[in-house]
Amino acid sequence: DAGVIQSPRHEVTEMGQEVTLRCKPISGHDYLFWYRQTMMRGLELLIYFNNNVPIDDSGMPEDRFSAKMPNASFSTLKIQPSEPRDSAVYFCASSPGQGNRETQYFGPGTRLLVL
Amino acid sequence: GNSVTQMEGPVTLSEEAFLTINCTYTATGYPSLFWYVQYPGEGLQLLLKATKADDKGSNKGFEATYRKETTSFHLEKGSVQVSDSAVYFCALTSTGGYNKLIFGAGTRLAVHP
């Protein structure tokens, strides 16, 4: 299995631009998580899905952030408009719905820099 | 709610030294406990886990024992290598199910030859 796939790996954009981050979870996994990692705040859970349905989005910082999961193999995290304080590494993770359900498998991350 | 506290880093050791990274938790119920490792430029990956009291998780020479009486899950390794240099995260399952994990702040380990 290829593991969790994220794209792009690096993104540099200017303040005010729209940013879309993409994630393909491991096939057969029922849960998908979006995290943000910064030096100041550490690892933060933004939102997670179960069977493509958002379960908890209480970690989404503000209305500029939105996430979708149109099908079991694809999710997006969108920031519009972006701001310099959004600069961070964004991780996607997935976990199976049964069996080893508590273990999360992380993607390599997208490093976002907003100028 | 559930929470986890781990020792601040960085931890700097010489190769072949003994490693301990402390992790304590606060939880209702009986959470599962995890150690994740993040190598430079990569995502987190599961290192080991324990699902009930007195369980010992182990992997790659690392060990941690689920201690309910002290609410701890300290990570240990008898002889570290330069390749162990990474950030280590302690985590536990959140109340309310749905596979949500609560992560600690992370401890950076630097191992020198």
Side-chain angles (χ1 to χ4, degrees), chain A residues 80-99:
Chain A
Q80 166 63 20
S82 58
E83 296 183 3
R85 60 194 168 115
D86 302 330
S87 298
V89 182
Y90 291 82
F91 290 104
C92 176
S94 68
S95 67
Q98 297 182 7

Side-chain angles (χ1 to χ4, degrees), chain A residues 37 43 89 91 106-109 111, chain B residues 35-47 84-89 105-109:
Chain A
Q37 186 178 41
L43 191 66
V89 182
F91 290 104
F106 281 73
R111 189 173 296 274
Chain B
W35 278 101
Y36 277 79
V37 58
Q38 184 179 26
Y39 298 103
E42 298 183 10
L44 281 70
Q45 54 185 275
L46 179 67
L47 181 59
D84 294 326
S85 298
V87 180
Y88 293 82
F89 293 88
T107 302
R108 183 175 299 276
L109 170 66

Side-chain angles (χ1 to χ4, degrees), chain B residues 89-111:
Chain B
F89 293 88
C90 185
L92 76 165
T93 46
S94 172
T95 53
Y98 289 113
N99 290 13
K100 183 177 176 178
L101 295 179
I102 306 297
F103 285 89
T107 302
R108 183 175 299 276
L109 170 66
V111 181

